[in-house]
Amino acid sequence: KWDFLQDRLGLTAAVFRNNRTNFRVASATAGVTYQQLDGECRVDGIELGAQGNVTKEWAIYANYAYLRSEVLRSIAKNSTAADPQKGHPLANVPSNSASLWTTYELPLGLQVGYGLNYSSTVYQTATTSDKLPGYTVQNALVGYKYDKDLSFALNVNNLTNRVYYTQLRGTQASGWVNPGEGRNAVLTANYNF
């Protein structure tokens, strides 16, 4: 983490590796219906972030993440069968994702904001090259600060009412899909005491 320009700009960076072990996979024994805790996978990643004030009134927040996922084992340890998922990317894990959010303080206690959330394509399963499409969702904010203790905010999410999908399990023909949220608005009131 680094702070610049008299703390008006903050930069962050992270490099990481997440190993997951002991998730459920099919048993190697014929006729055994219960699963075994022998699965393994790995995600290597980089995250970059920037946040700060361009002017006293104008703030910007930006983040980017790159993920490289891999199935290390998708069958039981004592199985002699070929591992169909080994070496493939994990399902529903985007390689690239990013967000941008900016706000501007107007006179009379008003605030406006606008942002984007982006996700690249994701594999539908760890054994297929079929992908769900990537998407970008736009969001907006109008806020009002009544006094030092009371403020209101109206957030409108998915401004363009874009149809997008966040996850698919199985294949397009036989699986189910999770749609992203449609356009919606949330009104909040905050009171400090």
Side-chain angles (χ1 to χ4, degrees):
K1 181 177 179 181
W2 301 271
D3 292 318
F4 298 96
L5 305 174
Q6 299 173 337
D7 295 337
R8 285 179 42 214
L9 173 65
L11 301 178
T12 57
V15 177
F16 58 89
R17 169 174 279 183
N18 290 336
N19 288 316
R20 181 178 173 203
T21 60
N22 301 327
F23 62 85
R24 292 180 179 160
V25 295
S27 172
T29 307
V32 176
T33 57
Y34 59 87
Q35 296 178 320
Q36 296 185 263
L37 299 175
D38 287 340
E40 292 185 33
C41 62
R42 172 181 297 147
V43 177
D44 294 325
I46 298 171
E47 281 187 304
L48 303 173
Q51 57 278 335
N53 285 76
V54 178
T55 66
K56 182 180 176 183
E57 297 84 12
W58 183 18
I60 295 180
Y61 309 89
N63 292 288
Y64 168 77
Y66 170 77
L67 303 177
R68 183 185 178 279
S69 64
E70 181 181 4
V71 175
L72 303 177
R73 182 173 45 248
S74 68
I75 60 174
K77 290 179 182 176
N78 60 345
S79 176
T80 57
D83 189 340
Q85 297 183 30
K86 184 175 182 177
H88 290 259
L90 292 168
N92 299 306
V93 176
S95 295
N96 297 283
S97 60
S99 65
L100 174 66
W101 181 252
T102 184
T103 59
Y104 195 87
E105 303 289 338
L106 297 167
L108 305 175
L110 293 173
Q111 181 188 57
V112 292
Y114 175 79
L116 301 168
N117 291 327
Y118 165 76
S119 177
S120 64
T121 59
V122 297
Y123 287 97
Q124 295 175 6
T125 69
T127 56
T128 181
S129 60
D130 294 335
K131 294 182 179 183
L132 281 175
Y135 59 87
T136 301
V137 176
Q138 302 177 56
N139 306 303
L141 159 78
V142 176
Y144 173 66
K145 188 171 184 177
Y146 179 74
D147 59 26
K148 68 181 181 67
D149 296 322
L150 180 62
S151 62
F152 302 91
L154 174 65
N155 290 80
V156 180
N157 303 306
N158 195 356
L159 275 172
T160 61
N161 204 27
R162 177 177 178 140
V163 175
Y164 66 100
Y165 304 99
T166 60
Q167 181 183 27
L168 184 136
R169 182 175 175 179
T171 63
Q172 287 181 345
S174 64
W176 49 262
V177 67
N178 286 346
E181 289 187 356
R183 183 186 303 122
N184 64 84
V186 179
L187 177 64
T188 58
N190 296 301
Y191 182 74
N192 298 318
F193 57 93

